[in-house]
Amino acid sequence: MTEVPEHLLKRAQAARDRAAGGDADTSTAAADASATADDGPKIPPHLLERSKSARQQADSGAAVATAAPAGGGAVATAAPPPVASGPGGHTQRLLTVVKSGSIQDVKLKPMDKVHVWPHLLIVEFGAALACLTFTLIFSIFVNAPLLELANFNETPNPSKAPWYFLGLQELLTMFHPMVAGVTIPGIGIFLLILAPYIDRNPSNKPEDRKFGISLMTVHLMFWAVLVMIGSFFRGPGFNFIFPWADGLFFEL
Amino acid sequence: MPKKQPLSERMSQSASQLTDQVQSSQAWNSIFRPGSIFRKGYNDSPRNRSYVVMNSVLYHLHPVKVKRHAVKVSYTLCLGGLSFFLFILLTVTGIFLMFFYRPTAAQAWDDIYTLQTSVTFGLLVRNMHRWAAHLMVLSVFLHMARVFYHGAYKAPREFNWVIGVILLQLTLLLSFTGYLLPWDQLALWAVTVGTNMMGYTPVFGEQVRFVLLGGVEIGTDTLLRWYVLHVLMLPFVIVIFMAIHFWRVRKDGGISGPL
């Protein structure tokens, strides 16, 4: 929220106190308006006087104005400018305060925002630098695998897909290839795409969407566990092994 | 005779004079638009902070201001931005690798081997390309999880979620097409396993497999096809989808939240 300046808060408080002291039942705006409408005596006496004299002047001015067309250019001098007679010599007064949102429809509430430069760009730069440093140092110490030349006559045992497809390959051990390779991932991707249209819950608060979060967590864990089993717990012949007993059959 | 100033003072004076001259020159001012921190008389004012973003081709993907919670690392974990950064890193290292690689069965493996053994920084750049690729798959996946857990796919961001799922699949395809290129035992058999699965697509499975392999089995034609897919076609497509993705982030009112 934006900070309301202190002097405005004070002024508002003073006005509220005054309203509470003058009328006991001024909680609604309508009541307030009706109260001021039939409270004739509330208009300060000096203003009443001023308007009375102005009305008199206008009457005499009208008489002059009807006579004026014959006299030509004398009209401009007929009505003298109003004399400053308000408190402190003011010639105008505050009629009403229009609160924001009462006439215009305020669609965007003011938000606490910060400049992208420097606040966001610094964070992005730091993250990019950390990522680059990690990749560089990791690449210095760990080499990408390059096995011997591709040979169609020698099938390695086990043959594994890239790690992100090992969940699918794991499914292959349980289902017909069409189910494991096409139907299940197809339905998964289809549901993923449709997620925002299936989930009609408008809230983004975790406590309001326990079901959605649970469902997604189960889904993600399902694939994560399959990928991990396929990566680390499958050995020769794609049989189940324990990596600590039979060694690792996994290349990135 | 007036006392000479110490050398260090004179040097710093002439250096600031030189800076002044350079920053006042027409050439300098034609390069750095108003608000650039390199322009003369840059000061830290709200106006200049806005100009820095608006007048920079690199930064104007961003709005001038963002919600305060959006700059918190704990909210986004930088995953989307890092995915994009890794894509750029992969493009740069990939261009380097292209200079030393020919996509034919007879030459591919030898080229990679030569790259590792006889090209300066060849091994390092290849390692970076490989590890960054795996990291990108991981970061895109985690980005998707983060977006889901924040409920950020909800209105008005539904369509951007759809674009995001497409981007995830393109990322997987980019990684998979690159997997074959070293033409070693790992590449050949991983791709064999992967493409055998595609062959089970109902109705047109065999045709899909034939088009992707450029034949009935993996060979030098497959290598060329996947090379073109990997270095040209898929990057071209993914860049288009990324542009839509980033554009929609801003059109949908910046990043979601706060929770």
Side-chain angles (χ1 to χ4, degrees), chain A residues 112 164 192 199 201 203 217, chain B residues 68 127 149 153-154 161 175:
Chain A
D112 191 14
Y164 35 84
L192 207 58
D199 182 2
N201 176 4
S203 171
T217 308
Chain B
R68 187 179 290 278
N127 289 348
Y149 285 123
Y153 58 86
K154 301 189 173 189
W161 167 269
S175 178

Side-chain angles (χ1 to χ4, degrees), chain B residues 9-59:
Chain B
E9 250 177 59
R10 273 183 291 149
M11 275 178 69
S12 72
Q13 257 180 16
S14 56
S16 70
Q17 249 176 15
L18 186 66
T19 314
D20 218 51
Q21 272 175 3
V22 170
Q23 287 192 321
S24 308
S25 68
Q26 190 187 357
W28 189 268
N29 284 312
S30 70
I31 296 167
F32 297 103
R33 289 182 53 79
S36 164
I37 56 171
F38 301 113
R39 252 174 106 104
K40 189 178 178 180
Y42 175 85
N43 59 344
D44 190 23
S45 63
R47 183 186 168 86
N48 271 342
R49 285 180 174 200
S50 309
Y51 273 152
V52 165
V53 175
M54 285 192 288
N55 282 345
S56 159
V57 68
L58 204 60
Y59 302 153

Side-chain angles (χ1 to χ4, degrees), chain A residues 111-121 123-124 127-129 131-132 134-136 138-140 142-156 159-165 168-169 172 176-178 180-182 189 191-197 199 201-206 209 212-213 216-218 220 223 251-252, chain B residues 37 42 46 49-50 52-53 59 62-68 70-71 73 78 82 85-86 89 105 109 112-113 116 123-124 126-128 130-132 134-135 137-138 141 144-145 148-151 153-154 158-159 161-162 165-166 168-169 172 175-176 179 182-186 188-190 193-194 197 200-202 218-219 257-259:
Chain A
M111 292 192 93
D112 191 14
K113 287 195 164 184
V114 293
H115 272 101
V116 161
W117 167 263
H119 301 286
L120 181 58
L121 289 178
V123 173
E124 285 180 346
L129 202 61
C131 179
L132 180 64
F134 173 78
T135 317
L136 187 65
F138 194 81
S139 301
I140 289 173
V142 186
N143 284 341
L146 182 66
L147 309 186
E148 57 273 31
L149 179 66
N151 182 353
F152 290 94
N153 300 318
E154 189 194 329
T155 311
S159 296
K160 288 190 178 185
W163 64 271
Y164 35 84
F165 287 150
L168 295 179
Q169 201 177 350
L172 269 178
H176 182 268
M178 200 187 95
V182 182
I189 286 169
L191 286 180
L192 207 58
I193 284 179
L194 287 184
Y197 306 101
D199 182 2
N201 176 4
S203 171
N204 67 352
K205 301 236 180 316
R209 39 197 301 265
I213 285 183
M216 187 63 167
T217 308
V218 167
L220 294 182
W223 287 109
E251 291 272 13
L252 267 175
Chain B
I37 56 171
Y42 175 85
R49 285 180 174 200
S50 309
V52 165
V53 175
Y59 302 153
H62 297 99
V64 166
K65 282 180 158 193
V66 290
K67 300 168 199 163
R68 187 179 290 278
V71 301
V73 176
C78 293
L82 282 183
F85 175 73
L86 284 167
L89 184 62
W109 190 88
I112 300 273
Y113 188 78
Q116 293 195 162
L123 178 60
L124 179 70
R126 174 167 183 252
N127 289 348
M128 284 181 74
R130 184 128 188 153
W131 302 134
H134 286 312
L135 265 185
V137 172
L138 202 64
F141 176 78
M144 185 196 72
F148 185 90
Y149 285 123
H150 282 163
Y153 58 86
K154 301 189 173 189
E158 305 101 315
F159 187 64
W161 167 269
V162 176
V165 176
I166 294 171
L168 170 67
Q169 289 170 55
L172 289 179
S175 178
F176 191 47
Y179 219 84
W183 202 246
D184 60 349
Q185 280 289 72
L186 179 64
L188 175 66
W189 294 100
V193 171
M197 259 188 271
Y200 286 105
T201 311
I218 297 177
L259 287 184

Side-chain angles (χ1 to χ4, degrees), chain A residues 24-192:
Chain A
D25 187 25
T26 50
S27 52
T28 65
D32 215 66
S34 66
T36 45
D38 52 30
D39 271 8
K42 274 210 169 166
I43 299 172
H46 72 274
L47 290 178
L48 276 174
E49 256 171 54
R50 200 206 290 180
S51 66
K52 221 178 278 172
S53 66
R55 226 175 285 134
Q56 279 170 3
Q57 240 174 21
D59 288 344
S60 59
V64 173
T66 46
V75 185
T77 53
V83 185
S85 57
H90 289 302
T91 56
Q92 71 255 45
R93 64 189 169 119
L94 183 66
L95 289 177
T96 182
V97 174
V98 180
K99 284 181 185 156
S100 72
S102 63
I103 295 176
Q104 290 163 304
D105 186 14
V106 181
K107 282 190 176 150
L108 195 68
K109 288 197 181 115
M111 292 192 93
D112 191 14
K113 287 195 164 184
V114 293
H115 272 101
V116 161
W117 167 263
H119 301 286
L120 181 58
L121 289 178
I122 289 256
V123 173
E124 285 180 346
F125 181 72
L129 202 61
C131 179
L132 180 64
T133 313
F134 173 78
T135 317
L136 187 65
I137 290 177
F138 194 81
S139 301
I140 289 173
F141 291 107
V142 186
N143 284 341
L146 182 66
L147 309 186
E148 57 273 31
L149 179 66
N151 182 353
F152 290 94
N153 300 318
E154 189 194 329
T155 311
N157 191 9
S159 296
K160 288 190 178 185
W163 64 271
Y164 35 84
F165 287 150
L166 279 180
L168 295 179
Q169 201 177 350
E170 184 62 29
L171 286 178
L172 269 178
T173 62
M174 305 175 218
F175 299 101
H176 182 268
M178 200 187 95
V179 178
V182 182
T183 315
I184 292 179
I187 289 174
I189 286 169
F190 193 61
L191 286 180
L192 207 58

